[in-house]
Amino acid sequence: MLLAEQLLNGLQYGMMLFLMAAGLTLVFGVMGLINLAHGALYMVGAFACAVVAASTGSFWLGLVASLAVAAAAGALVEMLVIRRLYNRDHLDQVLATFALILVFSEGTRWLFGDFPLYLKLPPALSGAITLPGGLQYPFFRLVIILVGAVVALGLWLLISRTRLGIRIRAGEADREMIGALGVDIAKLYTIVFALGAALAGLAGGLVGSIQSVQVGMGEPVLILAFVVIVIGGIGSIKGALVGALLVGMTDTLGKAVIPGLFARVMDTASANTTGSAVASMLIYILMAVVLLVRPQGLFGARV
Amino acid sequence: MTLKSLLLSATTTLALITAPAMAEPVKVGLITTLSGGGAGIGADVRDGFMLALKAAGDAGKEIEVILEDDQQKPDIAVQVADKMIQSDNVDVLTGIIWSNLAMAVVPAATAQDKFYLSTNAAPSALAGEGCNPKYFSVSYQNDNMHEAAGAYAAAEGVKKMFIMAPNYPAGQDSLAGFKRFYDGEVVAEVYTQVGQTDFAGEIAQIRASGADRVFFFQPGGMGIAFLKQYAESGVDIPLIGPGFSLSEDILPAVGDAALGTINTSHWSTDLDNPANKAFVDAFRADFGRYPSLYAAQAYDTANLLLSASAKASPSGDPDGFRAALQAADFASVRGKFAFGPNQHPIQDFYVLEVENRDGGLTNKIVGNAMTDRGDAYAELCKM
């Protein structure tokens, strides 16, 4: 029963990571842009959700707001800052988007104060339900698995079945050529960036409701999202999904199993500290192994 | 002589003439976290400290405070402290929240002959062999709250405990402190990652552990995330936290999920003494929120400083100033307060429970955990 619950935990953690990483891989893959401000947009989504939910009393309106506000913030940032960076090298992009993190963090603190905000799940999503087999599991975590699957499917359909998707793929392959063919490349990039931001915002609103909505909440997310897309292959939605599930499973099962394994060869106290330290390194070891064996990532097209 | 220093000396002379009993102005460097995720605690430290000076009236105006942000980074804290010592020429430093920052700043400050009064962090390394005549902890010793939780669990006759803390020095000290006074069986001891935001795996372990109670040390955002997820999980094993896990700075963000949770602390908003009542009322009136233990400790620190600087000047008569600090002759919001031989407090610890009072979440006292508790390191201190 514990193993079943931990497997389910690994799956839902993976889906959570996919939600966080999907927008980043889209922007990175299509636009070739390293966007460190992705975590800041995640934070913007969570704050928008918390503020709107608190003032209207509706979590669902909050979720809509997290999508809308993050998309708007993304579009604005693209037009004001990011647009000037496409022809610069990656170091300039890193610098500028790192500056954006600081601007967003302190701006948010200035607007909403020093203290974490309150954001609670609506009654319809809260509580635990009993699964077949008698396992009690939080309903909201099942919802996250579902939303992750829907977003994955939606993105796949968008990229492979729609005109916008064709343009996105074309832009990924050769941005000058599709510009010459009469596609408004500037507008396309704004749309893609806003879409990526909206995905980050949605993840912020959803995941923020079972975490702490506070300044700086985006930075750990950013690191994990980068690990996921490096493992999955940069720019690949499928890669992000597989990478996220791999990282989720590795992290959850590692933390559940490794301290116990260490306890067989050393005393309990040091097994607990060492074991948990090793467990927290596992995903980075996984990333290193993937990079050694397949430097372009599991589903990466380019090196 | 520049105009500024002329004016300065003129005013000091005037002050000496008009109020001969008054000591000369004391310069205090208040270093705390005012940006990033830890800014909520820093705001409480700042507001508690300044409120005490404001409440002291004219005596409070004799204290000049230089306030700076440490960004919760040890290197920045060291830079700020160096600037305050060398260029601002402060007499006393205070305000650091985090133990790793305190370890970077305190030994350097005392080595440069400055007093350091801790409003919060009190790592064991500074309580035992590393104690210093110029270093006072006005808060507690780091292990204390966890010891009190262990003592409470032992007194309650809890047979099986699940204990959990982040994997860093203060987390390891926390579990060691808990076990120092808990005599039942620890069925699982789990270390989480610092900054961890998802606790599904740990909650699954709690569910399967068969424990009677769960002790969790998860300060700041980690505690908010854990409490929210635990409430959603359907696991109903009662929680016990140190005061940090359920302090008033995070309770509004946790919401009703925290109601009824037991925790242990040396102070509470409803602790019944005149100084505390005045403090809590004034804090709520000025800032519209309940003060946390961090604010209470900063308020006490400022009052201790006022009481000592009224008797002796830290720069002119450091020995007299130190003796005045040791006497702890001020009205503490904790009621009784005294320093032990290593200049850490000897104080009582209470059992608290989260409640909703006047439309806000705060803690109420429901019992006693420990009486006149010093710390485990005092005997190692040679001064």
Side-chain angles (χ1 to χ4, degrees):
Chain A
M1 192 64 83
L2 178 61
L3 184 69
E5 185 174 357
Q6 293 291 28
L7 283 173
L8 211 49
N9 283 336
L11 178 65
Q12 78 86 27
Y13 188 46
M15 281 302 190
M16 215 188 258
L17 291 174
F18 171 71
L19 284 174
M20 297 166 183
L24 186 67
T25 199
L26 195 66
V27 167
F28 202 171
V30 176
M31 302 161 58
L33 175 91
I34 298 182
N35 179 24
L36 293 188
H38 188 74
L41 293 164
Y42 169 87
M43 176 186 72
V44 166
F47 271 82
C49 187
V51 169
V52 171
S55 60
T56 65
S58 163
F59 176 77
W60 306 106
L61 280 180
L63 217 50
V64 172
S66 71
L67 268 171
V69 173
L76 200 67
V77 161
E78 201 275 342
M79 287 190 276
L80 290 177
V81 181
I82 308 284
R83 189 164 284 185
R84 295 162 218 286
L85 298 172
Y86 294 131
N87 297 324
R88 304 284 195 89
D89 69 0
H90 282 326
L91 193 61
D92 289 353
Q93 298 173 354
V94 166
L95 258 178
T97 52
F98 184 74
L100 282 174
I101 296 182
L102 301 179
V103 170
F104 271 109
S105 285
E106 290 316 297
T108 312
R109 206 173 58 77
W110 183 68
L111 276 176
F112 300 107
D114 296 319
F115 294 91
L117 293 192
Y118 175 70
L119 175 62
K120 189 181 177 301
L121 288 174
L125 292 180
S126 66
I129 59 168
T130 310
L131 297 176
L135 175 67
Q136 277 221 320
Y137 203 71
F139 181 56
F140 184 70
R141 293 191 183 273
L142 297 174
V143 172
I144 285 186
I145 297 178
L146 187 73
V147 173
V150 168
V151 167
L153 188 70
L155 276 179
W156 177 75
L157 285 176
L158 175 79
I159 302 282
S160 63
R161 292 280 187 278
T162 64
R163 180 161 285 273
L164 179 64
I166 294 171
R167 286 183 180 167
I168 289 175
R169 278 182 292 150
E172 204 175 340
D174 192 336
R175 68 173 84 167
E176 274 148 27
M177 185 54 84
I178 83 153
L181 288 174
V183 174
D184 184 350
I185 192 84
K187 200 167 104 195
L188 178 68
Y189 275 21
T190 309
I191 291 172
V192 172
F193 196 84
L195 182 63
L199 285 173
L202 175 70
L206 268 180
V207 179
S209 61
I210 55 165
Q211 291 183 355
S212 168
V213 180
Q214 62 179 21
V215 172
M217 66 187 287
E219 274 91 276
V221 169
L222 179 74
I223 295 168
L224 284 171
F226 266 110
V227 171
V228 164
I229 68 169
V230 166
I231 289 177
I234 287 158
S236 161
I237 298 292
K238 190 162 75 176
L241 182 61
V242 174
L245 291 177
L246 264 179
V247 169
M249 283 290 175
T250 310
D251 191 60
T252 307
L253 295 182
K255 278 196 290 192
V257 173
I258 287 187
L261 290 180
F262 273 64
R264 295 187 181 178
V265 291
M266 55 175 87
D267 67 289
T268 322
S270 44
N272 281 331
T273 47
T274 330
S276 94
V278 171
S280 63
M281 280 189 282
L282 265 192
I283 57 170
Y284 303 101
I285 297 172
L286 175 72
M287 179 173 80
V289 170
V290 168
L291 281 178
L292 270 177
V293 179
R294 229 183 122 73
Q296 70 273 43
L298 295 177
F299 293 92
R302 296 169 296 169
V303 180
Chain B
M1 191 179 265
T2 65
L3 182 65
K4 197 175 157 196
S5 56
L6 189 72
L7 278 173
L8 200 69
S9 59
T11 39
T12 30
T13 327
L14 267 177
L16 283 173
I17 294 164
T18 49
M22 199 76 98
E24 60 191 275
V26 174
K27 261 192 175 181
V28 179
L30 183 63
I31 308 171
T32 197
T33 304
L34 298 169
S35 59
I41 300 177
D44 263 13
V45 170
R46 174 196 63 205
D47 294 345
F49 197 91
M50 299 315 264
L51 182 65
L53 297 186
K54 186 181 145 197
D58 285 344
K61 294 191 186 108
E62 293 295 306
I63 309 278
E64 184 190 336
V65 178
I66 298 162
L67 175 71
E68 295 249 11
D69 178 20
D70 61 28
Q71 302 173 25
Q72 205 176 331
K73 293 179 183 138
D75 50 326
I76 304 285
V78 169
Q79 275 177 28
V80 169
D82 282 346
K83 184 208 132 222
M84 285 178 170
I85 293 171
Q86 287 157 20
S87 129
D88 297 328
N89 216 357
V90 297
D91 304 303
V92 177
L93 285 163
T94 184
I96 292 176
I97 296 160
W98 318 94
S99 291
N100 54 336
L101 274 65
M103 285 308 294
V105 167
V106 173
T110 50
Q112 294 176 75
D113 239 16
K114 300 296 173 191
F115 282 94
Y116 187 93
L117 309 179
S118 181
T119 56
N120 191 53
S124 52
L126 298 177
E129 285 171 9
C131 65
N132 188 292
K134 299 225 152 178
Y135 169 71
F136 286 76
S137 168
V138 196
S139 48
Y140 46 71
Q141 196 283 316
N142 274 4
D143 300 6
N144 283 155
M145 302 255 189
H146 317 287
E147 292 173 343
Y152 164 76
E156 284 286 292
V158 178
K159 293 197 177 61
K160 293 177 176 175
M161 284 295 311
F162 184 104
I163 61 175
M164 179 172 104
N167 196 8
Y168 74 122
Q172 288 151 20
D173 288 349
S174 153
L175 297 192
F178 182 86
K179 289 190 286 185
R180 193 172 292 142
F181 284 84
Y182 175 65
D183 50 8
E185 184 195 352
V186 175
V187 292
E189 185 175 329
V190 170
Y191 283 106
T192 56
Q193 273 171 263
V194 176
Q196 186 168 329
T197 51
D198 194 74
F199 292 92
E202 287 76 12
I203 291 171
Q205 285 173 282
I206 292 172
R207 195 196 304 272
S209 68
D212 302 320
R213 294 277 201 286
V214 176
F215 171 75
F216 74 109
F217 169 48
Q218 297 288 347
M222 295 183 274
I224 299 174
F226 175 76
L227 284 165
K228 281 164 111 174
Q229 292 164 24
Y230 194 75
E232 294 292 329
S233 69
V235 182
D236 51 9
I237 304 170
L239 299 173
I240 304 172
F244 313 112
S245 295
L246 294 144
S247 53
E248 280 76 4
D249 56 307
I250 64 163
L251 284 179
V254 180
D256 292 349
L259 279 178
T261 309
I262 295 289
N263 60 101
T264 48
S265 177
H266 53 348
W267 171 84
S268 173
T269 46
D270 69 336
L271 192 56
D272 192 15
N273 66 63
N276 194 42
K277 189 162 185 335
F279 163 60
V280 175
D281 289 348
F283 195 95
R284 290 198 75 189
D286 275 18
F287 308 111
R289 61 178 197 267
Y290 277 111
S292 67
L293 61 100
Y294 307 102
Q297 290 163 178
Y299 187 83
D300 267 1
T301 305
N303 278 322
L304 171 71
L305 178 75
L306 284 164
S307 76
S309 62
K311 289 182 199 162
S313 147
S315 50
D317 177 15
D319 292 337
F321 184 71
R322 183 183 167 217
L325 287 173
Q326 280 172 323
D329 186 15
F330 70 105
S332 169
V333 294
R334 283 167 263 183
K336 61 176 191 180
F337 180 98
F339 282 115
N342 58 346
Q343 301 180 165
H344 284 58
I346 293 175
Q347 57 191 336
D348 292 351
F349 286 83
Y350 306 94
V351 182
L352 313 182
E353 186 185 319
V354 180
E355 68 161 354
N356 194 325
R357 193 194 311 152
D358 305 335
L361 290 174
T362 183
N363 286 287
K364 68 171 174 198
I365 296 177
V366 294
N368 289 305
M370 293 200 291
T371 307
D372 290 332
R373 174 66 187 155
D375 61 82
Y377 307 96
E379 59 196 37
L380 298 172
C381 169
K382 307 270 184 290
M383 285 198 273

